[in-house]
Amino acid sequence: MSTAVAQQMASYITAGVTPHHVCAETARQLSGAGFVEQDLREEWNGGTGGHFCVVDGTIVAWWVPEGSTASTGLRIIAAHTDSPVLKVKPRPDTGAAGWQQVAVEVYGGALWNSWLDRDLGIAGRVALVDGSSHLIRIDQPLLRIPQLAPHLDRGINTRGLTLNPQQHLLPLWGTGPVDDGVLMEHLCAETDFSASDVVGHDLLLHDLTPPSLLGREQDLLAAPRLDNLSSSYAGLTALLQNVEKSPHADVISVFAAFDHEEVGSGTFTGAGGPLLSHIIRRIGISLGGTEEELGRMLAASRCLSADAAHAVNPNYLSHYDPGHYLQINQGPALKVNADQHYGTDAIGTAAWIRACRTAEIPTQTFVGRNDVTCGSTLGKFVATSLGVRTVDVGIPILSMHSTRELGGVLDAGYLVSGIAEFLLDPAER
């Protein structure tokens, strides 16, 4: 069994400790493959070939083959760069009873208990008073959120753990009196700017345990942020593979990895904002397109929304529909929901099955229980903003929204192969 794809995915995840770092790593790989960065404030580069743009924690890349016109259809892969996490508050320095602590708030639907008793680092970006921004990353053990010993809470194992996010999730990082500005001074100690120049920050905590292969056959991948850097990695890799092997495809390939999916996508860099539609419009105009031709382009387009799915947990079988268990290493899942939390329909299903058969990979289908509301993802936002058919897929994982999730080694490669074929499929329906 080849583990190369899973190990490369693990390296991508390790590099992408925050959405801003995901974008930096993705841009590095795109640039290395000859893609040209497009500043949205500047005149459009236009023309054929590969281009990309980065806006905060969102990155969009596209490949325009030779011979493309303003009515050539798009094949869009949508993923997201963010994961549930603990985010540092604007005034982070706090503490009590002789401990120095860091004030944090919960971002997204994190499993709070999974952050307890772990060695944590800090990473993200800081904004300076001159308008510039800089990435920061501290990978040495810096923070820890201590759990209360069972001697002081005798009923914890029978009653269950109850956490108040304001009271119980404050990490500690030292002892002594609390001084304002100490955390930022520590983070900026090895930079070429002063902590006094920092006027804003987007800083996140991250678990320092590296990804690992585990299990009797070493066929399981344990890692942070599999939701959803597994899909971001797969979309990027599939795009770059296709450019190398099939640069003269009959469709325009677009890879979009959005920020803020875990909090609803309703931001200017989220899938619910206008960023992708603006980029596609400018692609069409650069090809000499009119409104009529742009409409034809979108009508001939489709989107694959790639986000992690729920593998069946054998300890909690009652939480799953018994006819639609997802098994790890049995292929990516097609995600279906009658209430349109997922956008998959019959025609979209055919497009995905066709891609999987061409790639010679297995696939599965996920449907939730009728009495358990499923989550939603990027697909419906892309579908409603662009008016294109959208299919929802993703690799099965366990412990979704934990600091450390579990997926399958084989599924990593399967997802790359399935996305690569979806991007090349010229069928217009």
Side-chain angles (χ1 to χ4, degrees), residues 92-103 142-148 170-179 182:
D93 297 293
T94 188
W99 285 103
Q100 295 175 341
Q101 294 173 278
V102 175
L142 187 65
L143 306 168
R144 185 180 176 92
I145 304 172
Q147 189 168 186
L148 187 65
L170 294 180
L172 54 85
W173 73 304
T175 60
V178 176
D179 295 317
V182 173

Side-chain angles (χ1 to χ4, degrees), residues 242-253:
N242 283 358
V243 167
E244 182 177 355
K245 296 178 181 179
S246 305
H248 305 295
D250 297 323
V251 292
I252 297 172
S253 298

Side-chain angles (χ1 to χ4, degrees), residues 134-420:
H134 304 266
L135 294 184
I136 281 180
R137 177 169 180 165
I138 305 295
D139 278 338
Q140 64 198 42
L142 187 65
L143 306 168
R144 185 180 176 92
I145 304 172
Q147 189 168 186
L148 187 65
H151 313 73
L152 305 177
D153 187 1
R154 292 289 181 178
I156 191 170
N157 287 327
T158 54
R159 183 189 66 250
L161 178 65
T162 300
L163 296 173
N164 180 298
Q166 176 68 20
Q167 181 180 355
H168 300 136
L169 296 183
L170 294 180
L172 54 85
W173 73 304
T175 60
V178 176
D179 295 317
D180 286 339
V182 173
L183 177 66
M184 194 57 61
E185 289 177 2
H186 181 83
L187 299 181
C188 296
E190 297 183 7
T191 66
D192 57 1
F193 52 85
S194 170
S196 61
D197 295 328
V198 176
V199 292
H201 57 78
D202 296 304
L203 297 172
L204 309 177
L205 308 191
H206 63 280
D207 179 22
L208 296 177
T209 308
S212 62
L213 302 184
L214 62 85
R216 180 169 60 89
E217 301 291 339
Q218 295 284 281
D219 59 347
L220 302 175
L221 173 63
R225 302 181 295 281
L226 282 173
D227 176 21
N228 185 35
L229 297 193
S230 59
S231 299
S232 296
Y233 166 81
L236 170 65
T237 303
L239 173 64
L240 295 181
Q241 286 182 0
N242 283 358
V243 167
E244 182 177 355
K245 296 178 181 179
S246 305
H248 305 295
D250 297 323
V251 292
I252 297 172
S253 298
V254 179
F255 166 63
F258 295 98
D259 199 357
H260 302 140
E261 189 276 342
E262 297 292 356
V263 292
S265 295
T267 65
F268 87 101
T269 56
L275 179 61
L276 182 58
S277 62
H278 285 177
I279 290 172
I280 289 173
R281 181 178 179 83
R282 292 179 76 174
I283 292 172
I285 292 172
S286 73
L287 294 171
T290 63
E291 286 293 330
E292 166 68 17
E293 288 168 313
L294 179 61
R296 290 167 58 192
M297 170 189 279
L298 293 175
S301 301
R302 73 173 72 99
C303 172
L304 190 72
S305 169
D307 200 353
H310 296 289
V312 62
N313 187 323
N315 297 333
Y316 300 91
L317 291 180
S318 64
H319 292 257
Y320 303 83
D321 183 274
H324 296 89
Y325 289 159
L326 293 185
Q327 296 181 325
I328 283 176
N329 284 326
Q330 296 300 309
L334 187 71
K335 300 157 72 173
V336 178
N337 178 255
D339 286 340
Q340 298 300 295
H341 291 283
Y342 307 131
T344 307
D345 64 5
I347 303 300
T349 295
W352 174 247
I353 297 298
R354 189 164 57 246
C356 291
R357 288 182 178 178
T358 303
E360 299 182 336
I361 64 167
T363 187
Q364 309 175 72
T365 302
F366 174 79
V367 181
R369 288 178 59 96
N370 291 336
D371 54 359
V372 177
T373 302
C374 72
S376 62
T377 183
L378 304 152
K380 65 181 181 180
F381 296 105
V382 177
T384 54
S385 64
L386 296 180
V388 300
R389 189 184 307 280
T390 301
V391 189
D392 279 286
V393 304
I395 65 167
I397 66 171
L398 288 176
S399 307
M400 189 181 292
H401 288 196
S402 172
T403 55
R404 196 164 179 83
E405 299 160 327
L406 186 68
V409 167
L410 294 179
D411 289 330
Y414 291 151
L415 185 60
V416 172
S417 298
I419 290 176

